[in-house]
Amino acid sequence: MKVQYQRSGALSGFLVLIFPVFLPGLFSPLSHASPSMLSELNAPKPKHSSLLNSALQRQSSNEKQSDLWTPLADQGWRPCVESTNAPSTPQESQGYLQVFLDGGLNQQRMGICDAVAVARLLNATLVIPHLEVNPVWQDSSSFMDIFDVDHFIETLKDDINIVRELPDDFSWSTREFYAAAIRTTRIKTAPVHASANWYLENVLPVLESYGIAAIAPFSHRLAFDNLPMDIQLLRCKVNFQALVFVPHITALGDELVSRLRYPSDSSEALDNDHLRETTDAVVKQGARKFVALHLRFDKDMAAHSACDFGGGKAEKLALAKYRQLIWQGRVLNSQFTDEELRSQGRCPLTPEEIGLLLAALGFDNTTRLYLASHKVYGGEARISTLRKLFPLMEDKKSLASSEERVSIKGKASLLAAVDYYVGMHSDIFISASPGNMHNALVGHRTFENLKTIRPNMALLGPLFLNKSISWSDFQEAVVEGHGNREGQIRLRNPKQSIYTYPAPDCMCNVKG
């Protein structure tokens, strides 16, 4: 009996060990944002060991460093968001316009700009937009939690009427009201990139009949072309002037920027996780420069890309299961091999790869790096190679004490707002992959003529596939392939976003 018990115990122990591997969903929370246990048990190995070893031994001249940090030259474009027509106060309102915005912070930001434009088109009074709870991050932050509502209303007072909330006569018009049944005051058929005429034909009659219209969903529901110029300028004004973060976000952002520019002596003791304080001696040395790196490498992106990220068979199985669970396997990229995807530049850059890109461009191990990200798939194990290349890498947790971060803890939109603010105040910004944060900051920094590196994904994919490439050849190709991708003005083409490409709609060419 004792032997049988021991065998039974051994079998139970064995099952405990293997169940998490074959059934990870039973042992981790079912969440888009949760890191995979498999990726942590099987720490990813460097995929580009030869390049990494060479990069770790790299040297950069003072002249090269100076060129890297040189601000963009004047390109002859200036912010230009005010209409040339005489300012006119809003006419008598046709009714109240409500919009319900899903997505993350930056998708909602674009939706807010579009909502103001639609309200102007319809001569409606805009109710401060409702931000839906994001199913990925589970953040219930409201507009007023993120943006300075007083500044928003004041900046736009000559353009549209805005109210914080509906009057009592319309207090019934809530999210819960529209979720319960089909309502005549809700418009849920707004097409993606709808025209101005669509709103005049489909939403204005509802406003005129009921005094209120609620549009949900609303993200990406206004076209970028064939709109009156004053509407385009108004969208620019909202995005670049009216939307500013609440004071506690900007105050924390300013502190982080200050600590990046004036780092204290690393030998100072940090008691109770408190922040290092700037010393007079460091201040006298002058402000240091830093790069803000937006590293979106969460589980959603890793799974949806269908690329191989070096975590072995276990990671591949975990991501395949995740694709099946979330998208029922309907992911376009999954029909291609990793090599095919990388050769087309369709794989997001890993922390290792973005580190190699920065190193090839000439940034050395004295470069101060601010890591703007929420959760990285694979955790610290995935970031370790990037940290080896750039040991002076910081983030919100390393720069700010837990007490200073208490107001943003667990709130993805507020965390993203801090990253956005720091990104706007960095000397150089770079993103490891396209996305809403990348698009928003690229557009905003273009508007301000700030240096912004856009990785050449079509170039980097094949370069990383070439396992025999030397460091010198890799570096030469990277430098040559990014010479015109540092923030140079790119004029918006039809159907492209005005928020990513602000010229010529939001900017004027003063050089003619």
Side-chain angles (χ1 to χ4, degrees), residues 16 22 33 80 118 123 173 175 200 243 251 257 296 310 318 326 332 357-358 366 399 437 456 458 462 465-466 506:
V16 168
F22 291 99
C80 192
V118 170
N123 192 33
S173 184
R175 183 185 185 281
L200 293 171
L243 286 176
V257 171
R296 188 192 168 189
I326 303 300
L332 178 62
L357 167 61
L358 287 169
T366 66
L399 288 168
M437 174 73 94
N456 188 337
L465 280 173
N466 185 353
C506 310

PDB file of all heavy atoms in Angstrom, residues 16 22 33 80 118 123 173 175 200 243 251 257 296 310 318 326 332 357-358 366 399 437 456 458 462 465-466 506:
ATOM      1  N   VAL A  16       1.063  17.739 -11.842  1.00  0.00           N
ATOM      2  CA  VAL A  16       1.112  19.141 -11.442  1.00  0.00           C
ATOM      3  C   VAL A  16       2.135  19.896 -12.265  1.00  0.00           C
ATOM      4  O   VAL A  16       1.947  21.056 -12.628  1.00  0.00           O
ATOM      5  CB  VAL A  16       1.437  19.262  -9.938  1.00  0.00           C
ATOM      6  CG1 VAL A  16       1.789  20.694  -9.577  1.00  0.00           C
ATOM      7  CG2 VAL A  16       0.245  18.796  -9.107  1.00  0.00           C
ATOM      8  N   PHE A  22       0.575  22.079 -20.727  1.00  0.00           N
ATOM      9  CA  PHE A  22      -0.393  21.710 -21.763  1.00  0.00           C
ATOM     10  C   PHE A  22      -1.738  22.410 -21.607  1.00  0.00           C
ATOM     11  O   PHE A  22      -2.498  22.532 -22.561  1.00  0.00           O
ATOM     12  CB  PHE A  22      -0.613  20.184 -21.751  1.00  0.00           C
ATOM     13  CG  PHE A  22       0.598  19.425 -22.212  1.00  0.00           C
ATOM     14  CD1 PHE A  22       1.472  18.850 -21.308  1.00  0.00           C
ATOM     15  CD2 PHE A  22       0.884  19.334 -23.564  1.00  0.00           C
ATOM     16  CE1 PHE A  22       2.601  18.163 -21.745  1.00  0.00           C
ATOM     17  CE2 PHE A  22       2.010  18.655 -23.993  1.00  0.00           C
ATOM     18  CZ  PHE A  22       2.882  18.068 -23.084  1.00  0.00           C
ATOM     19  N   ALA A  33      -4.336  40.866 -21.615  1.00  0.00           N
ATOM     20  CA  ALA A  33      -3.091  41.519 -21.220  1.00  0.00           C
ATOM     21  C   ALA A  33      -2.190  40.649 -20.380  1.00  0.00           C
ATOM     22  O   ALA A  33      -1.048  40.989 -20.149  1.00  0.00           O
ATOM     23  CB  ALA A  33      -3.416  42.789 -20.435  1.00  0.00           C
ATOM     24  N   CYS A  80      -0.802  75.349 -37.995  1.00  0.00           N
ATOM     25  CA  CYS A  80      -1.749  76.265 -38.630  1.00  0.00           C
ATOM     26  C   CYS A  80      -3.146  75.670 -38.454  1.00  0.00           C
ATOM     27  O   CYS A  80      -3.621  74.926 -39.302  1.00  0.00           O
ATOM     28  CB  CYS A  80      -1.395  76.383 -40.112  1.00  0.00           C
ATOM     29  SG  CYS A  80      -2.219  77.712 -40.984  1.00  0.00           S
ATOM     30  N   VAL A 118     -17.964  66.352 -35.978  1.00  0.00           N
ATOM     31  CA  VAL A 118     -19.340  65.984 -36.328  1.00  0.00           C
ATOM     32  C   VAL A 118     -20.331  66.918 -35.647  1.00  0.00           C
ATOM     33  O   VAL A 118     -21.337  67.330 -36.252  1.00  0.00           O
ATOM     34  CB  VAL A 118     -19.616  64.511 -35.946  1.00  0.00           C
ATOM     35  CG1 VAL A 118     -21.104  64.181 -36.083  1.00  0.00           C
ATOM     36  CG2 VAL A 118     -18.796  63.578 -36.828  1.00  0.00           C
ATOM     37  N   ASN A 123     -24.215  71.219 -36.189  1.00  0.00           N
ATOM     38  CA  ASN A 123     -24.585  72.322 -35.307  1.00  0.00           C
ATOM     39  C   ASN A 123     -25.246  71.778 -34.042  1.00  0.00           C
ATOM     40  O   ASN A 123     -26.303  72.240 -33.604  1.00  0.00           O
ATOM     41  CB  ASN A 123     -25.518  73.306 -36.010  1.00  0.00           C
ATOM     42  CG  ASN A 123     -25.662  74.592 -35.215  1.00  0.00           C
ATOM     43  OD1 ASN A 123     -24.740  75.032 -34.543  1.00  0.00           O
ATOM     44  ND2 ASN A 123     -26.851  75.193 -35.274  1.00  0.00           N
ATOM     45  N   SER A 173     -30.798  59.224 -21.241  1.00  0.00           N
ATOM     46  CA  SER A 173     -29.942  58.792 -22.360  1.00  0.00           C
ATOM     47  C   SER A 173     -28.576  58.357 -21.837  1.00  0.00           C
ATOM     48  O   SER A 173     -27.626  59.127 -21.799  1.00  0.00           O
ATOM     49  CB  SER A 173     -29.794  59.933 -23.377  1.00  0.00           C
ATOM     50  OG  SER A 173     -29.059  59.502 -24.503  1.00  0.00           O
ATOM     51  N   ARG A 175     -25.623  54.890 -21.309  1.00  0.00           N
ATOM     52  CA  ARG A 175     -25.101  53.668 -21.926  1.00  0.00           C
ATOM     53  C   ARG A 175     -26.001  52.476 -21.605  1.00  0.00           C
ATOM     54  O   ARG A 175     -26.273  51.632 -22.457  1.00  0.00           O
ATOM     55  CB  ARG A 175     -23.673  53.410 -21.439  1.00  0.00           C
ATOM     56  CG  ARG A 175     -23.004  52.212 -22.080  1.00  0.00           C
ATOM     57  CD  ARG A 175     -21.638  51.949 -21.460  1.00  0.00           C
ATOM     58  NE  ARG A 175     -20.943  50.877 -22.144  1.00  0.00           N
ATOM     59  CZ  ARG A 175     -21.196  49.579 -21.937  1.00  0.00           C
ATOM     60  NH1 ARG A 175     -22.142  49.222 -21.081  1.00  0.00           N
ATOM     61  NH2 ARG A 175     -20.515  48.662 -22.597  1.00  0.00           N
ATOM     62  N   LEU A 200     -25.342  64.272 -42.175  1.00  0.00           N
ATOM     63  CA  LEU A 200     -26.435  65.208 -42.424  1.00  0.00           C
ATOM     64  C   LEU A 200     -27.725  64.470 -42.792  1.00  0.00           C
ATOM     65  O   LEU A 200     -28.827  64.894 -42.424  1.00  0.00           O
ATOM     66  CB  LEU A 200     -26.051  66.171 -43.543  1.00  0.00           C
ATOM     67  CG  LEU A 200     -24.899  67.144 -43.212  1.00  0.00           C
ATOM     68  CD1 LEU A 200     -24.457  67.898 -44.459  1.00  0.00           C
ATOM     69  CD2 LEU A 200     -25.307  68.121 -42.114  1.00  0.00           C
ATOM     70  N   LEU A 243      -6.882  69.093 -26.413  1.00  0.00           N
ATOM     71  CA  LEU A 243      -6.714  67.900 -25.585  1.00  0.00           C
ATOM     72  C   LEU A 243      -5.386  67.955 -24.829  1.00  0.00           C
ATOM     73  O   LEU A 243      -4.322  67.682 -25.387  1.00  0.00           O
ATOM     74  CB  LEU A 243      -6.787  66.637 -26.443  1.00  0.00           C
ATOM     75  CG  LEU A 243      -8.179  66.244 -26.931  1.00  0.00           C
ATOM     76  CD1 LEU A 243      -8.110  65.036 -27.863  1.00  0.00           C
ATOM     77  CD2 LEU A 243      -9.122  65.965 -25.764  1.00  0.00           C
ATOM     78  N   ALA A 251       2.043  66.800 -14.199  1.00  0.00           N
ATOM     79  CA  ALA A 251       3.013  66.992 -13.114  1.00  0.00           C
ATOM     80  C   ALA A 251       3.911  65.772 -12.969  1.00  0.00           C
ATOM     81  O   ALA A 251       5.148  65.900 -12.832  1.00  0.00           O
ATOM     82  CB  ALA A 251       2.276  67.267 -11.796  1.00  0.00           C
ATOM     83  N   VAL A 257      10.472  63.449 -16.725  1.00  0.00           N
ATOM     84  CA  VAL A 257      11.369  64.089 -17.694  1.00  0.00           C
ATOM     85  C   VAL A 257      12.541  64.744 -16.972  1.00  0.00           C
ATOM     86  O   VAL A 257      13.700  64.633 -17.400  1.00  0.00           O
ATOM     87  CB  VAL A 257      10.600  65.134 -18.540  1.00  0.00           C
ATOM     88  CG1 VAL A 257      11.566  65.958 -19.390  1.00  0.00           C
ATOM     89  CG2 VAL A 257       9.573  64.442 -19.436  1.00  0.00           C
ATOM     90  N   ARG A 296       5.431  48.378 -27.786  1.00  0.00           N
ATOM     91  CA  ARG A 296       4.197  47.615 -27.660  1.00  0.00           C
ATOM     92  C   ARG A 296       4.505  46.178 -28.046  1.00  0.00           C
ATOM     93  O   ARG A 296       4.656  45.833 -29.208  1.00  0.00           O
ATOM     94  CB  ARG A 296       3.083  48.171 -28.552  1.00  0.00           C
ATOM     95  CG  ARG A 296       1.773  47.443 -28.218  1.00  0.00           C
ATOM     96  CD  ARG A 296       0.643  47.652 -29.169  1.00  0.00           C
ATOM     97  NE  ARG A 296      -0.412  46.679 -28.851  1.00  0.00           N
ATOM     98  CZ  ARG A 296      -1.477  46.478 -29.603  1.00  0.00           C
ATOM     99  NH1 ARG A 296      -1.656  47.157 -30.700  1.00  0.00           N
ATOM    100  NH2 ARG A 296      -2.377  45.575 -29.253  1.00  0.00           N
ATOM    101  N   GLY A 310      11.119  33.391 -30.643  1.00  0.00           N
ATOM    102  CA  GLY A 310      12.251  32.758 -29.982  1.00  0.00           C
ATOM    103  C   GLY A 310      11.949  32.086 -28.663  1.00  0.00           C
ATOM    104  O   GLY A 310      12.872  31.703 -27.940  1.00  0.00           O
ATOM    105  N   ALA A 318       1.327  28.105 -27.127  1.00  0.00           N
ATOM    106  CA  ALA A 318       0.548  29.018 -26.288  1.00  0.00           C
ATOM    107  C   ALA A 318      -0.088  30.124 -27.123  1.00  0.00           C
ATOM    108  O   ALA A 318      -1.261  30.463 -26.933  1.00  0.00           O
ATOM    109  CB  ALA A 318       1.439  29.619 -25.208  1.00  0.00           C
ATOM    110  N   ILE A 326      -9.255  33.767 -28.769  1.00  0.00           N
ATOM    111  CA  ILE A 326      -9.697  35.157 -28.931  1.00  0.00           C
ATOM    112  C   ILE A 326     -10.308  35.417 -30.302  1.00  0.00           C
ATOM    113  O   ILE A 326     -11.336  36.090 -30.423  1.00  0.00           O
ATOM    114  CB  ILE A 326      -8.525  36.126 -28.682  1.00  0.00           C
ATOM    115  CG1 ILE A 326      -7.926  35.892 -27.291  1.00  0.00           C
ATOM    116  CG2 ILE A 326      -8.977  37.576 -28.832  1.00  0.00           C
ATOM    117  CD1 ILE A 326      -8.912  36.095 -26.161  1.00  0.00           C
ATOM    118  N   LEU A 332      -5.170  36.506 -40.279  1.00  0.00           N
ATOM    119  CA  LEU A 332      -4.634  36.455 -41.645  1.00  0.00           C
ATOM    120  C   LEU A 332      -3.190  35.988 -41.677  1.00  0.00           C
ATOM    121  O   LEU A 332      -2.816  35.129 -42.491  1.00  0.00           O
ATOM    122  CB  LEU A 332      -4.757  37.830 -42.296  1.00  0.00           C
ATOM    123  CG  LEU A 332      -4.202  37.965 -43.718  1.00  0.00           C
ATOM    124  CD1 LEU A 332      -4.957  37.050 -44.679  1.00  0.00           C
ATOM    125  CD2 LEU A 332      -4.283  39.414 -44.192  1.00  0.00           C
ATOM    126  N   LEU A 357      18.560  47.826 -33.594  1.00  0.00           N
ATOM    127  CA  LEU A 357      18.326  48.953 -34.498  1.00  0.00           C
ATOM    128  C   LEU A 357      18.923  50.232 -33.914  1.00  0.00           C
ATOM    129  O   LEU A 357      19.646  50.973 -34.602  1.00  0.00           O
ATOM    130  CB  LEU A 357      16.829  49.122 -34.735  1.00  0.00           C
ATOM    131  CG  LEU A 357      16.374  50.427 -35.409  1.00  0.00           C
ATOM    132  CD1 LEU A 357      16.994  50.564 -36.798  1.00  0.00           C
ATOM    133  CD2 LEU A 357      14.856  50.497 -35.488  1.00  0.00           C
ATOM    134  N   LEU A 358      18.640  50.502 -32.655  1.00  0.00           N
ATOM    135  CA  LEU A 358      19.168  51.704 -32.020  1.00  0.00           C
ATOM    136  C   LEU A 358      20.687  51.684 -31.975  1.00  0.00           C
ATOM    137  O   LEU A 358      21.351  52.700 -32.218  1.00  0.00           O
ATOM    138  CB  LEU A 358      18.599  51.838 -30.606  1.00  0.00           C
ATOM    139  CG  LEU A 358      17.119  52.244 -30.512  1.00  0.00           C
ATOM    140  CD1 LEU A 358      16.611  52.081 -29.084  1.00  0.00           C
ATOM    141  CD2 LEU A 358      16.917  53.674 -30.988  1.00  0.00           C
ATOM    142  N   THR A 366      25.735  54.546 -23.209  1.00  0.00           N
ATOM    143  CA  THR A 366      25.525  55.681 -22.295  1.00  0.00           C
ATOM    144  C   THR A 366      24.208  56.395 -22.599  1.00  0.00           C
ATOM    145  O   THR A 366      23.865  57.388 -21.946  1.00  0.00           O
ATOM    146  CB  THR A 366      26.674  56.699 -22.402  1.00  0.00           C
ATOM    147  OG1 THR A 366      26.657  57.304 -23.702  1.00  0.00           O
ATOM    148  CG2 THR A 366      28.022  56.035 -22.154  1.00  0.00           C
ATOM    149  N   LEU A 399      11.666  55.281 -12.159  1.00  0.00           N
ATOM    150  CA  LEU A 399      11.830  56.721 -11.969  1.00  0.00           C
ATOM    151  C   LEU A 399      10.936  57.291 -10.879  1.00  0.00           C
ATOM    152  O   LEU A 399      11.263  58.315 -10.283  1.00  0.00           O
ATOM    153  CB  LEU A 399      11.538  57.456 -13.283  1.00  0.00           C
ATOM    154  CG  LEU A 399      12.573  57.316 -14.406  1.00  0.00           C
ATOM    155  CD1 LEU A 399      11.992  57.837 -15.712  1.00  0.00           C
ATOM    156  CD2 LEU A 399      13.856  58.036 -14.061  1.00  0.00           C
ATOM    157  N   MET A 437      -0.620  54.371 -30.609  1.00  0.00           N
ATOM    158  CA  MET A 437       0.326  55.229 -29.898  1.00  0.00           C
ATOM    159  C   MET A 437       1.395  55.749 -30.857  1.00  0.00           C
ATOM    160  O   MET A 437       1.737  56.936 -30.858  1.00  0.00           O
ATOM    161  CB  MET A 437       0.976  54.476 -28.739  1.00  0.00           C
ATOM    162  CG  MET A 437       2.083  55.245 -28.019  1.00  0.00           C
ATOM    163  SD  MET A 437       1.514  56.594 -26.979  1.00  0.00           S
ATOM    164  CE  MET A 437       1.402  55.743 -25.398  1.00  0.00           C
ATOM    165  N   ASN A 456      12.172  51.198 -40.436  1.00  0.00           N
ATOM    166  CA  ASN A 456      11.886  50.722 -41.787  1.00  0.00           C
ATOM    167  C   ASN A 456      11.655  49.212 -41.724  1.00  0.00           C
ATOM    168  O   ASN A 456      12.581  48.423 -41.864  1.00  0.00           O
ATOM    169  CB  ASN A 456      13.065  51.065 -42.709  1.00  0.00           C
ATOM    170  CG  ASN A 456      12.764  50.780 -44.164  1.00  0.00           C
ATOM    171  OD1 ASN A 456      11.906  49.965 -44.485  1.00  0.00           O
ATOM    172  ND2 ASN A 456      13.485  51.453 -45.057  1.00  0.00           N
ATOM    173  N   ALA A 458      10.139  47.109 -43.676  1.00  0.00           N
ATOM    174  CA  ALA A 458      10.399  46.343 -44.903  1.00  0.00           C
ATOM    175  C   ALA A 458      11.881  46.056 -45.072  1.00  0.00           C
ATOM    176  O   ALA A 458      12.271  45.041 -45.655  1.00  0.00           O
ATOM    177  CB  ALA A 458       9.859  47.111 -46.111  1.00  0.00           C
ATOM    178  N   PRO A 462      14.004  41.492 -43.710  1.00  0.00           N
ATOM    179  CA  PRO A 462      15.011  40.687 -44.422  1.00  0.00           C
ATOM    180  C   PRO A 462      16.393  40.749 -43.767  1.00  0.00           C
ATOM    181  O   PRO A 462      17.131  39.757 -43.792  1.00  0.00           O
ATOM    182  CB  PRO A 462      15.037  41.326 -45.816  1.00  0.00           C
ATOM    183  CG  PRO A 462      13.679  41.947 -45.973  1.00  0.00           C
ATOM    184  CD  PRO A 462      13.322  42.443 -44.607  1.00  0.00           C
ATOM    185  N   LEU A 465      16.543  38.316 -41.035  1.00  0.00           N
ATOM    186  CA  LEU A 465      16.497  36.936 -41.537  1.00  0.00           C
ATOM    187  C   LEU A 465      17.869  36.450 -41.991  1.00  0.00           C
ATOM    188  O   LEU A 465      18.130  35.244 -42.036  1.00  0.00           O
ATOM    189  CB  LEU A 465      15.515  36.833 -42.711  1.00  0.00           C
ATOM    190  CG  LEU A 465      14.022  36.740 -42.370  1.00  0.00           C
ATOM    191  CD1 LEU A 465      13.193  36.808 -43.639  1.00  0.00           C
ATOM    192  CD2 LEU A 465      13.721  35.452 -41.598  1.00  0.00           C
ATOM    193  N   ASN A 466      18.734  37.394 -42.332  1.00  0.00           N
ATOM    194  CA  ASN A 466      20.076  37.059 -42.819  1.00  0.00           C
ATOM    195  C   ASN A 466      20.992  36.753 -41.632  1.00  0.00           C
ATOM    196  O   ASN A 466      21.562  37.655 -41.026  1.00  0.00           O
ATOM    197  CB  ASN A 466      20.630  38.223 -43.647  1.00  0.00           C
ATOM    198  CG  ASN A 466      21.974  37.904 -44.277  1.00  0.00           C
ATOM    199  OD1 ASN A 466      22.579  36.860 -44.013  1.00  0.00           O
ATOM    200  ND2 ASN A 466      22.448  38.799 -45.137  1.00  0.00           N
ATOM    201  N   CYS A 506      -3.086  70.599 -41.224  1.00  0.00           N
ATOM    202  CA  CYS A 506      -2.911  71.269 -39.935  1.00  0.00           C
ATOM    203  C   CYS A 506      -1.694  72.192 -39.915  1.00  0.00           C
ATOM    204  O   CYS A 506      -1.380  72.776 -38.872  1.00  0.00           O
ATOM    205  CB  CYS A 506      -2.739  70.240 -38.813  1.00  0.00           C
ATOM    206  SG  CYS A 506      -3.973  68.940 -38.772  1.00  0.00           S
TER     207      CYS A 506
END
